[in-house]
């Protein structure tokens, strides 16, 4: 059976380390059972959040990672710098693609850097509203899988090292979640493209992300092929995040 995974992407929240620690303590109390629970706090809070989690079974993800291991890249954080602080990294998030101009090649380079330094990767992909309305969802997914994952060195991408988050851009932070059916259809396509790369597609964990809340999560938890959720806004409330985790148990 595929692993189920629910990860809270805190983005540029909370705005203080103190707030991050409070939230981390709330997440540490969640009993995920067989569902793997993760959080992606702001970089600045990583060291103290790691300590605050104590022995809790919560994985820590960086929200992004640079493709180079070191050097003249002002303001950036590299994979070696995350050693001991994070278990993995998110790459390809649409907000990073938007804010930093990441294209498929750069996302692939970031994923390669993380995987090469033994960080697990959550690989985000998804179409814009314009692309969906234009009937291009499958083509966008295909391009992002082939140019983003297909170019990563053979052997680095395995079901244990990389999970995928289908995140339609129009659903992120908008309150306009996809339906479970839309998520399931897109995820079927993602697996089809993974298989085309020669990967064991059915073994990969694929989550849905985009305005998931405690109120709508069951639609995704019940949808075929949806193995979990990448949660933004609703992960800032430990109680609501806990209910989202519980839906995938
Ligand atoms: C995200 O940031 O990955 C996300 C899905 O955000 P939200 O849940 O707020 O839409």
């Amino acid at each position: 059976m595929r692993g189920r995974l629910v990860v809270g992407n805190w983005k540029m929240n909370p705005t203080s380390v103190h707030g991050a620690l409070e939230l981390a303590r709330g997440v540490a109390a969640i009993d995920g059972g067989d569902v793997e629970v993760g959080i992606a706090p702001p970089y600045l809070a990583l060291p103290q959040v790691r300590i605050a989690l104590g022995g809790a079974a919560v994985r820590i993800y960086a929200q992004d990672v640079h493709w180079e291991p070191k050097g003249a890249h002002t303001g950036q954080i590299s994979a070696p710098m995350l050693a001991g602080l994070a278990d993995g990294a998110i790459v390809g998030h649409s907000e990073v693609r938007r804010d930093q101009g990441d294209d498929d090649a750069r996302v692939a380079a970031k994923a390669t850097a993380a995987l090469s330094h033994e960080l697990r990767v959550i690989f985000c992909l998804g179409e814009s509203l314009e692309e969906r309305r234009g009937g291009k969802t499958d083509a966008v997914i295909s391009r992002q899988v082939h140019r983003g994952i297909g170019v990563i060195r053979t052997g680095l991408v395995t079901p244990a090292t990389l999970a995928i988050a289908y995140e339609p851009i129009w659903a992120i932070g908008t309150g306009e979640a996809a339906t479970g059916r839309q998520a399931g259809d897109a995820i079927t396509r993602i697996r089809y493209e993974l298989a085309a790369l020669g990967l064991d597609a059915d073994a990969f964990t694929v989550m849905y992300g985009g305005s998931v809340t405690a109120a709508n999560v069951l639609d995704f938890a019940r949808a075929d092929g949806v193995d979990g959720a990448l949660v933004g806004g609703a992960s800032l409330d430990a109680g609501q995040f806990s209910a989202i985790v519980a839906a995938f148990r």
Side-chain angles (χ1 to χ4, degrees):
M1 198 170 118
R2 283 192 298 270
R4 278 157 295 146
L5 176 61
V6 175
V7 176
N9 175 16
W10 295 358
K11 312 191 185 192
M12 209 159 66
N13 306 292
T15 53
S16 70
V17 172
H18 175 77
L21 292 179
E22 224 167 90
L23 184 52
R25 285 188 203 104
V27 174
I30 295 173
D31 176 10
D34 290 342
V35 179
E36 193 182 299
V37 178
I39 52 174
Y43 288 126
L44 279 177
L46 288 178
Q48 289 182 65
V49 162
R50 171 126 259 170
I51 294 165
L53 288 175
V58 177
R59 281 207 166 136
I60 300 180
Y61 291 85
Q63 294 178 14
D64 191 25
V65 64
H66 200 269
W67 59 92
E68 293 289 351
K70 60 185 278 202
H73 297 283
T74 304
Q76 304 302 306
I77 299 290
S78 73
M81 291 162 80
L82 293 168
L85 296 177
D87 304 295
I90 297 173
V91 303
H93 194 285
S94 60
E95 289 160 9
V96 181
R97 291 183 194 249
R98 177 198 69 200
D99 292 350
Q100 296 187 12
D102 283 12
D103 57 10
D104 294 324
R106 193 183 281 177
V107 174
K110 287 180 168 184
T112 300
L115 293 167
S116 305
H117 289 87
E118 277 158 34
L119 291 168
R120 196 167 182 224
V121 162
I122 293 176
F123 190 102
C124 301
L125 55 85
E127 81 288 358
S128 66
L129 188 56
E130 201 185 352
E131 289 163 339
R132 174 162 283 264
R133 286 190 174 145
K136 295 184 181 142
T137 300
D138 285 353
V140 170
I141 287 173
S142 172
R143 191 203 77 222
Q144 290 180 327
V145 170
H146 285 263
R147 295 194 191 161
I149 298 174
V151 300
I152 298 172
R153 205 167 65 239
T154 312
L156 282 182
V157 176
T158 73
T161 60
L162 184 136
I164 293 165
Y166 167 61
E167 296 215 307
I169 298 168
W170 47 272
I172 298 179
T174 59
E176 301 258 341
T179 62
R181 175 82 184 267
Q182 286 172 319
D185 287 350
I187 287 173
T188 298
R189 185 69 197 196
I190 288 169
R191 292 213 165 85
Y192 172 87
E193 301 299 347
L194 291 174
L197 293 176
L199 296 166
D200 182 5
D202 284 334
F204 280 82
T205 295
V206 187
M207 298 174 275
Y208 165 75
S211 296
V212 175
T213 63
N216 65 19
V217 65
L218 278 180
D219 194 24
F220 302 105
R222 289 179 181 146
D224 269 353
V226 181
D227 303 319
L230 182 55
V231 187
S235 72
L236 299 174
D237 178 313
Q240 189 167 182
F241 188 57
S242 173
I244 293 169
V245 171
F248 284 96
R249 286 190 66 174

